[in-house]
Amino acid sequence: MTHAVRATYRLQLNAGFTFDDAADVAGYLARLGVSHVYCSPYLQSAAGSTHGYDVTDHSKIDDELGGAPAHRRFCAALTEASMGHVLDIVPNHMAISDPTNAWWWDVLANEPSSRYAGYFDIDWDPPEAVLRRTILVPILGDHYGRVLEAGELKLGREGDEIVLRYHEHVLPIAAGSVAHDELDAINGDPDSLHEVLERQHYRIAFWKAGDRDLNYRRFFDIKTLAALRIEDERVFEDTHRLVLSLIEDGKLDGLRIDHVDGLRDPRAYLERLRRRAPDAYVVVEKILEASEELPEEWPVEGTTGYDFLNVVNGLFVDSTAEKAMSDVYVEFTRAPADLAEMVRAKKLFIMREVLASDVERLTALLVEVSENHRRYRDYTRHELREAVRETIAAFPVYRTYLDTRTRTASPQDVAHVQEAIEEAAARRPDLAPELFGFLCDVLLMRHPAEAAGRIEDEFVLRFQQTTGPVMAKGVEDTVFYNFNRMAALNEVGSDLGCFGIALEAFHDRAARVQERWPLTMLATSTHDTKRSEDVRARLDLLSEIPARWADAAMRWRSLNERHRAGGIPDRNAEYLLYQTLVGAWPLAPDRAVAYMEKASKEAKAHTSWTDPSPEYDEGLARFVRAVLDDREFVADLEELVEPLVEPGRVNSLAQTAIKLTHPGVPDTYQGTELWDLSLVDPDNRRPVDYELRTRLLDEATAGDAASALARMDEGLPKLLLIHKVLALRARDPEAFGADSSYEALWATGPRARHVVAFTRGGRVLTVAPRLTLTLEGEWRGTTLALPAGDWTDELTGTTFSGVVPVEELLDGFPVLVATK
């Protein structure tokens, strides 16, 4: 590794922010104090991509970002600024909607005989006879026959090739299928065109057919992203050759592995990657549930930080308010707040309506497995399907990591499978208990290898690749927009059943991170978060004022009844809107409408992306605009929000200080070094004003803590805090490294629960306040005994020692980071 990774800064690259733009801000980022620029994926992606996760060519730098020449200029700028580079890569899938994906194009043109047929996870022999040795391509806006007869399908020329065009879609026509001089005649005759299409190695179909009949694995529910068989050594080499060469050339220091749970065997993949890049910094995008630990045998530095994000956010949620916040939610929405039942129902919905083809593929495998065990051969396909669906619905984590090579399962994996099986059996007494016992034995590989055979192993591996997408789509992308008790907690990787975290649990976890994953990434905002760190920091305050919030919410419901029509929006969406306005205020109507459209479509209660309801969509938009045009409501909203702004900023400074000094590598998401009230993407990928940030950094460093606080509205305190602590990390990296230590400190006195304090390496001290609204600025004799020695505040220069009143420690700045 050319540069040791001590702090990263995430940049989202796209046609509007290219390599040259990134090179232009390298000097600013170096002065801010980060060691590594952490880039979104930048291998060649689909035309117009705004995120880079739709790769079409792994051997090429994206042309829309400036291509290889601009990439070289970017790397040179980083070298000149003495910074390193971490890249987000996508090993799970590729975009197939763009003809620039030569591999997929070759497969469509040449079927299983294509040299790339084994690169994609395609079922060439599905139960449906019409799809054998054929790929389903569900791109049509209506049924095939209607589209064909309407003349919307046309043959044409693309260079020397003959292609099929359907609106923006282009597909190859196999060589020899038709002569160039026949095109006009065939295009004018639906029967002749149908005959040509029947000779292809794909079957175009109505887009809805893909939910149930798709015969290739995809990324979640996105049919235009086909999964790769990255476990194949050839596929690994061809997809990683460029990235590995960048590492070997010293242009790249680390990798973020996108969607590691989608891979067939994450551990085997990571071990292969580590062999090829032994010194690279590697973190994985992995959602850890509350009871879950990252597998210790994985050769990585840790996760991308969603686990930390939710833990640190929980510090600022008052757990004593859980019942009060639940009560007002139920009263407002007039709906039961049964989270467990909602999770089950939404996961079943996703398996029935969105990921049905994945479940059917599992069912087909389980039918074969049961045929090999005479005791279970008489269970019907329906019974086997229901057992699979119910078990996945009950799965408590994204997936297990059973090793079919050694036929071993960790105690953690065994516990998760058994928990799911027991709950599924209890939920479905109409299915034989013996059937669930059989499924449990299969999933835990309890049958002897010679009896299990290849099909049983295949079922286990595919089951593990299916539970994650169901969890992601059913819970994070559906439940999180339906269970709106407290929106600040509805974040990627969160446990909605956990309302806040105790100080003891926070410190225990931090010590464990220092021991096991001292270089894991620490995030508070990402490109995937449903609301930015500063929105969450303000919304957390509602848990400290549940009665005031309840009064306001019920008052707004009555006041805005005049703007509702036909029951639109539903009360759940209305409740989410009010929380969103509190957290992100001031919020322009266009952004509010766009956010609520996304939230309602993700909730899938009245409308969705695939089955939109124009009546509901238009009614919701009208309501949002009417509410924001209502002066009486806006005045009332601002009366609630105004006293939350400063405490919300203190919360933000507190979580920032904790992130910057907690065990791990802190990441700053683009733009969040100042106050940032962004909502879910694409809102959080808005352009960042780096000229402003450069100027403010100059002004912040030219002044002191007091002058920064005087410009609170501009975000100078946050910018100065980040700059000062990153400078400290650069000056004393050992205090924060793998061989450092973490030690909790405990305040004493009536306000002790409001203090988060710890030391790193015995020479860096962090003190931050929490639950500041109920604190009301009164520390009432609460003190903190500092470890021996003199401790100097990095921001104010004040020195402390001995037993110090917390009020004095935080007098010059809302948080304290001190050294001795």
Side-chain angles (χ1 to χ4, degrees), residues 399-451:
R399 62 166 287 173
T400 51
Y401 304 95
L402 290 93
D403 190 339
T404 57
R405 297 168 298 176
T406 60
R407 301 190 67 74
T408 57
S410 70
Q412 181 174 252
D413 285 343
V414 171
H416 291 149
V417 170
Q418 289 178 337
E419 179 183 342
I421 289 289
E422 289 170 9
E423 182 179 333
R427 291 273 194 177
R428 293 297 300 271
D430 57 312
L431 297 175
E434 183 184 55
L435 174 56
F436 284 105
F438 167 62
L439 181 55
C440 186
D441 289 343
V442 171
L443 289 175
L444 293 178
M445 302 176 298
R446 288 172 173 165
H447 299 133
E450 59 275 12

Side-chain angles (χ1 to χ4, degrees), residues 366-383:
L366 191 57
V367 168
E368 288 191 62
V369 171
S370 66
E371 282 293 320
N372 292 335
H373 296 272
R374 63 177 182 268
R375 187 171 179 178
Y376 306 106
R377 60 184 292 177
D378 285 343
Y379 284 112
T380 66
R381 178 181 291 268
H382 170 76
E383 290 172 311

Side-chain angles (χ1 to χ4, degrees), residues 531-566:
R531 46 196 58 81
S532 71
E533 59 197 54
D534 292 331
V535 172
R536 265 182 272 116
R538 187 189 294 175
L539 281 176
D540 287 339
L541 298 168
L542 297 182
S543 69
E544 299 186 65
I545 53 168
R548 198 186 321 167
W549 164 245
D551 289 344
M554 299 306 295
R555 189 168 61 251
W556 297 342
R557 187 179 77 167
S558 298
L559 179 65
N560 290 324
E561 186 64 25
R562 59 198 178 196
H563 301 307
R564 295 176 82 234

Side-chain angles (χ1 to χ4, degrees), residues 52-272:
Y53 291 98
D54 43 3
V55 178
T56 61
D57 187 345
H58 288 271
S59 67
K60 184 179 179 183
I61 302 294
D62 199 317
D63 288 331
E64 291 189 3
L65 304 180
H71 180 260
R72 287 192 290 272
R73 293 193 293 272
F74 168 63
C75 291
L78 294 182
T79 299
E80 185 177 351
S82 300
M83 283 194 297
H85 180 200
V86 174
L87 175 63
D88 193 344
I89 65 169
V90 191
N92 178 69
H93 56 267
M94 290 181 73
I96 57 174
S97 59
D98 195 308
T100 58
N101 187 336
W103 298 352
W104 186 257
W105 187 271
D106 194 73
V107 173
L108 291 178
N110 298 301
E111 54 113 8
S113 62
S114 166
R115 63 169 293 195
Y116 301 110
Y119 279 43
F120 299 95
D121 194 351
I122 302 167
D123 185 1
W124 292 107
D125 189 25
E128 298 81 3
V130 295
L131 289 178
R132 286 172 190 160
R133 296 179 66 84
T134 300
I135 298 174
L136 186 72
V137 182
I139 59 174
L140 304 180
D142 201 347
H143 287 268
Y144 167 74
R146 296 172 192 157
V147 173
L148 178 71
E149 291 162 13
E152 296 180 57
L153 299 169
K154 295 289 184 182
L155 298 179
R157 296 176 181 83
E158 192 82 32
D160 294 332
E161 290 187 272
I162 295 176
V163 299
L164 175 70
R165 291 196 175 94
Y166 172 70
H167 298 300
E168 74 274 16
H169 300 282
V170 182
L171 299 170
I173 294 294
S177 296
V178 61
H180 283 261
D181 59 4
E182 299 175 329
L183 296 188
D184 291 340
I186 292 173
N187 281 334
D189 181 5
D191 291 334
S192 297
L193 182 54
H194 173 66
E195 289 179 12
V196 171
L197 296 181
E198 286 293 278
R199 293 196 292 269
Q200 304 312 306
H201 308 301
Y202 53 83
R203 180 185 178 94
I204 56 174
F206 185 28
W207 66 268
K208 288 187 176 180
D211 291 336
R212 296 188 179 278
D213 298 333
L214 202 68
N215 60 338
Y216 60 86
R217 189 168 61 84
R218 58 201 148 155
F219 172 67
F220 292 170
D221 62 338
I222 305 175
K223 302 179 186 69
T224 56
L225 297 177
L228 290 165
R229 295 185 63 248
I230 205 71
E231 65 274 9
D232 185 305
E233 187 171 357
R234 296 173 306 159
V235 182
F236 178 92
E237 292 298 327
D238 284 350
T239 54
H240 288 68
R241 187 171 292 112
L242 175 57
V243 168
L244 291 173
S245 71
L246 293 174
I247 293 175
E248 291 167 5
D249 292 345
K251 294 179 179 177
L252 194 57
D253 298 301
L255 300 172
R256 176 225 194 234
I257 311 302
D258 181 65
H259 190 44
V260 72
D261 276 348
L263 308 185
R264 188 175 177 89
D265 188 342
R267 178 180 176 181
Y269 166 82
L270 294 168
E271 288 173 344
R272 176 176 281 164

Side-chain angles (χ1 to χ4, degrees), residues 430-748:
D430 57 312
L431 297 175
E434 183 184 55
L435 174 56
F436 284 105
F438 167 62
L439 181 55
C440 186
D441 289 343
V442 171
L443 289 175
L444 293 178
M445 302 176 298
R446 288 172 173 165
H447 299 133
E450 59 275 12
R454 182 189 63 81
I455 294 298
E456 204 155 318
D457 287 350
E458 182 70 13
F459 174 80
V460 170
L461 291 167
R462 290 205 174 277
F463 184 91
Q464 294 186 135
Q465 286 179 294
T466 304
T467 54
V470 173
M471 177 77 89
K473 297 306 299 179
V475 180
E476 289 192 1
D477 288 348
T478 306
V479 170
F480 281 17
Y481 288 100
N482 281 276
F483 189 77
N484 295 318
R485 175 179 65 175
M486 187 166 175
L489 296 175
N490 295 19
E491 198 47 85
V492 180
S494 73
D495 175 7
L496 295 190
C498 179
F499 198 92
I501 186 172
L503 274 172
E504 293 83 355
F506 172 81
H507 286 308
D508 287 347
R509 183 190 176 281
R512 193 164 66 250
V513 170
Q514 176 63 50
E515 178 185 348
R516 298 182 183 179
W517 307 104
L519 299 179
T520 190
M521 188 173 280
L522 309 174
T524 41
S525 286
T526 77
H527 63 287
D528 270 339
T529 44
K530 300 188 185 301
R531 46 196 58 81
S532 71
E533 59 197 54
D534 292 331
V535 172
R536 265 182 272 116
R538 187 189 294 175
L539 281 176
D540 287 339
L541 298 168
L542 297 182
S543 69
E544 299 186 65
I545 53 168
R548 198 186 321 167
W549 164 245
D551 289 344
M554 299 306 295
R555 189 168 61 251
W556 297 342
R557 187 179 77 167
S558 298
L559 179 65
N560 290 324
E561 186 64 25
R562 59 198 178 196
H563 301 307
R564 295 176 82 234
I568 299 174
D570 69 19
R571 294 301 187 189
N572 208 13
E574 185 180 1
Y575 196 70
L576 175 61
L577 172 63
Y578 295 150
Q579 291 182 76
T580 302
L581 294 176
V582 170
W585 192 256
L587 185 61
D590 285 348
R591 281 180 62 210
V593 168
Y595 172 76
M596 289 305 296
E597 178 190 29
K598 180 179 178 70
S600 64
K601 289 185 183 298
E602 296 289 358
K604 307 171 189 68
H606 305 283
T607 185
S608 69
W609 298 114
T610 57
D611 189 16
S613 167
E615 179 185 6
Y616 189 86
D617 295 342
E618 292 164 10
L620 175 61
R622 278 195 303 271
F623 178 80
V624 174
R625 291 189 186 279
V627 161
L628 292 178
D629 196 42
D630 188 320
R631 293 184 180 180
E632 184 181 1
F633 166 72
V634 170
D636 200 345
L637 170 68
E638 290 181 336
E639 187 176 344
L640 179 82
V641 170
E642 193 277 331
L644 302 182
V645 171
E646 184 172 349
R649 290 170 174 172
V650 171
N651 274 0
S652 179
L653 293 173
Q655 73 173 351
T656 300
I658 293 168
K659 177 179 71 173
L660 294 171
T661 55
H662 186 281
V665 174
D667 175 61
T668 301
Y669 183 70
Q670 61 174 32
T672 62
E673 62 269 38
L674 299 180
W675 308 130
D676 179 74
L677 300 177
S678 291
L679 300 171
V680 72
D681 71 294
D683 188 57
N684 65 9
R685 285 189 266 118
R686 291 175 292 166
V688 176
D689 187 343
Y690 283 108
E691 289 186 8
L692 170 66
R693 283 159 176 76
T694 300
R695 175 174 60 79
L696 291 181
L697 181 59
D698 290 340
E699 294 170 7
T701 54
D704 56 17
S707 61
L709 288 173
R711 298 174 65 181
M712 178 72 83
D713 287 348
E714 297 174 80
L716 255 68
K718 191 177 185 185
L719 184 65
L720 181 64
L721 173 65
I722 292 171
H723 171 69
K724 289 286 190 180
V725 181
L726 291 185
L728 169 61
R729 291 183 70 101
R731 190 170 74 244
D732 189 4
E734 291 78 13
F736 301 94
D739 296 325
S740 186
S741 61
Y742 177 93
E743 189 161 342
L745 299 180
W746 300 95
T748 58

